[in-house]
Amino acid sequence: MTHWFHRNPLKATAPVSFNYYGMITGPPASKICNDLRSSRTRLLELFTDLNCNPEMMKNAADLYFSLLQGFINSLDESTQESKLRYIQNFKWTDTLQGQVPSTQQDAVFELISMGFNVALWYTKYASRLAGKENITEDEAKEVHRSLKIAAGIFKHLKESHIPKLLTPAEKGRDLEARLMDAYIIQCQAEAQEVTIARAIELKHAPGLIAALAYETANFYQKADHTLSSLEPAYSAKWRKYLHLKTCFYTAYAYCYHGQTLLASDKCGEAIRSLQEAEKSYAKAEALCKDYGETKGPGPTVKPSGHLFFRKLGSLVKNTLDKCQRENGFIYFQKIPTEAPQLELKANYGLVEPVPFEFPPPSALWTPETLAAFDLTKRPKDDSAKPRQEEEVKPVREPDIKPQKDTGCSIS
């Protein structure tokens, strides 16, 4: 089963030279700075490289983060921060607020922002893989795992590193709690979509599928509610996606719940459940149109034309037709006026983020290396700061068109 996922753009950043003229007093410090510069450049290149896989991304990210750790933490594993934490200015844009960058002279801000982009890369990799024709079981597992890894990174940033920033995240910016929560929940919900597709493929009990779909719809609803107080100008498109997925998986839940009721000879209730599935599906269809017409960050696509969407419409219609036929021939049961209450709880298949930790400092960081940075020789004009006119160029992400009948578009 193919999938379609909304994706916000990657964060963009200003170049960082890691040149500290006068402050560097020995070769070990020079090597650290050269390696930081080259590993940062390489990591940024991989974000838009279609040939990059999770192993390549992990290796490149671990290399850069292990080098950056010396700018953040002391080498003796105490709670003290590094003397180098505040010597470099970093500029990053936001996924929603266009090319207006945030600037902080803090290596923790760089760690969080780059980590955020790594998490976004995992979501985009998962989305690209999920849209392939005839996705294999191994590929489906990789999609599932990539989304759980992304959720784990976002969760770790929110809980362990964003609180350490001296300058709190501005309202509506990526690092603010509402947005971090929305990204975490969306990753979990999308991973559960893969679980549902697998359960359907293996013909698991309709009751389990209905419960998973209901839990997934609740995830999407929670993510949408998390963003409800954001400025609509830049959150509307994302929220349309979350709302349509809520309706879509509510329709799934009612559809499979109807199958469970029919199997229990409750044909009248099954018809009512399927009628509710039709309503939710119609809402999702209307939201698909709204999504395509809404301006904002994210891909310009028509979700209602995608295979994943059309298949559910056929399933709901065929199941309802079957229930009505059987009720007319066998059961003759009255159809309730009230829709059945979906109080379903999935005991299997619920997604939790994969725990994430940044790597320890590189072996290149020794007391001698740290001593080779002499802050007393720091220039008074603070040349580490970027010039005011320095532009942060947007990330040129690969333009991937949906493959035939796959229903996937990557922004």
Side-chain angles (χ1 to χ4, degrees), residues 35-238:
D35 288 355
L36 273 165
R37 182 167 55 251
S38 62
S39 61
R40 187 180 199 264
T41 301
R42 175 61 179 152
L43 184 51
L44 292 172
E45 288 171 350
L46 284 179
F47 289 144
T48 55
D49 183 348
L50 292 181
N51 295 315
C52 181
N53 59 43
E55 185 182 2
M56 292 166 65
M57 177 54 62
K58 185 179 187 324
N59 290 340
D62 282 355
L63 174 60
Y64 179 61
F65 291 138
S66 68
L67 291 165
L68 189 64
Q69 289 282 22
F71 274 59
I72 297 170
N73 301 310
S74 63
L75 300 181
D76 60 4
E77 298 186 356
S78 69
T79 55
Q80 258 188 321
E81 62 191 28
S82 169
K83 69 178 184 180
L84 306 175
R85 177 175 170 179
Y86 305 107
I87 69 168
Q88 176 67 55
N89 226 315
F90 297 96
K91 263 189 183 182
W92 284 89
T93 63
D94 267 45
T95 56
L96 294 186
Q97 296 199 27
Q99 294 311 114
V100 181
S102 296
T103 305
Q104 289 198 35
Q105 192 160 328
D106 187 349
V108 171
F109 178 64
E110 168 73 356
L111 183 83
I112 294 165
S113 300
M114 191 67 85
F116 192 104
N117 250 16
V118 170
L120 277 183
W121 179 87
Y122 275 102
T123 70
K124 287 171 182 273
Y125 174 78
S127 188
R128 184 164 70 246
L129 202 56
K132 284 180 63 177
E133 288 186 68
N134 304 316
I135 182 170
T136 66
E137 182 182 339
D138 286 343
E139 286 169 334
K141 286 179 181 176
E142 194 156 1
V143 170
H144 194 255
R145 178 161 179 79
S146 294
L147 290 166
K148 292 197 296 180
I149 289 170
I153 296 172
F154 286 129
K155 188 171 187 283
H156 182 64
L157 295 176
K158 177 181 181 266
E159 293 176 354
S160 301
H161 296 280
I162 291 174
K164 294 177 184 175
L165 288 171
L166 294 185
T167 306
E170 300 167 54
K171 285 190 175 180
R173 292 282 183 168
D174 283 341
L175 308 187
E176 200 230 311
R178 290 175 296 179
L179 273 84
M180 295 301 295
D181 283 337
Y183 275 114
I184 294 165
I185 298 164
Q186 180 179 332
C187 288
Q188 290 177 275
E190 289 175 349
Q192 283 189 193
E193 288 194 47
V194 181
T195 304
I196 292 168
R198 182 69 175 156
I200 292 169
E201 187 181 341
L202 295 178
K203 295 182 169 52
H204 279 294
L208 173 62
I209 296 169
L212 281 170
Y214 179 63
E215 301 269 18
T216 303
N218 286 342
F219 263 138
Y220 278 119
Q221 187 176 42
K222 186 178 176 183
D224 179 47
H225 180 73
T226 300
L227 298 176
S228 62
S229 55
L230 288 179
E231 179 61 45
Y234 53 81
S235 65
K237 194 174 187 76
W238 192 5

Side-chain angles (χ1 to χ4, degrees), residues 196 200 205-211 213-214 247-263 269-281 311-323 340 342 344:
I196 292 168
I200 292 169
L208 173 62
I209 296 169
Y214 179 63
C247 294
F248 183 80
Y249 279 97
T250 300
Y252 248 122
Y254 275 116
C255 181
Y256 278 91
H257 185 55
Q259 292 183 25
T260 304
L261 291 168
L262 180 61
E269 292 179 44
I271 290 172
R272 187 65 188 86
S273 191
L274 266 299
Q275 288 173 342
E276 206 62 27
E278 269 194 327
K279 285 183 188 177
S280 293
Y281 183 78
K311 284 178 77 172
L312 176 60
S314 301
L315 179 67
V316 171
K317 182 181 182 304
N318 293 340
T319 310
L320 178 57
D321 287 349
K322 178 186 176 183
C323 289
L342 290 179
L344 308 172

Side-chain angles (χ1 to χ4, degrees), residues 2-7 123-133 299 301-303 305-308 400-411:
T2 56
H3 300 271
W4 166 74
F5 302 134
H6 167 94
R7 290 292 174 259
T123 70
K124 287 171 182 273
Y125 174 78
S127 188
R128 184 164 70 246
L129 202 56
K132 284 180 63 177
E133 288 186 68
V301 294
K302 294 180 179 177
H306 290 302
L307 183 61
F308 91 100
I400 305 167
K401 294 179 181 178
Q403 297 179 50
K404 184 181 176 184
D405 271 336
T406 65
C408 182
S409 178
I410 311 299
S411 67

Side-chain angles (χ1 to χ4, degrees), residues 290-353:
D290 289 348
Y291 175 87
E293 294 172 352
T294 302
K295 293 181 180 179
T300 304
V301 294
K302 294 180 179 177
S304 57
H306 290 302
L307 183 61
F308 91 100
F309 196 87
R310 299 199 308 270
K311 284 178 77 172
L312 176 60
S314 301
L315 179 67
V316 171
K317 182 181 182 304
N318 293 340
T319 310
L320 178 57
D321 287 349
K322 178 186 176 183
C323 289
Q324 288 173 331
R325 278 196 311 272
E326 298 205 5
N327 202 46
F329 278 106
I330 303 169
Y331 294 102
F332 305 104
Q333 292 177 0
K334 187 178 178 182
I335 300 165
T337 53
E338 293 291 321
Q341 290 295 311
L342 290 179
E343 295 177 350
L344 308 172
K345 191 75 180 169
N347 296 318
Y348 308 98
L350 295 178
V351 169
E352 287 296 327

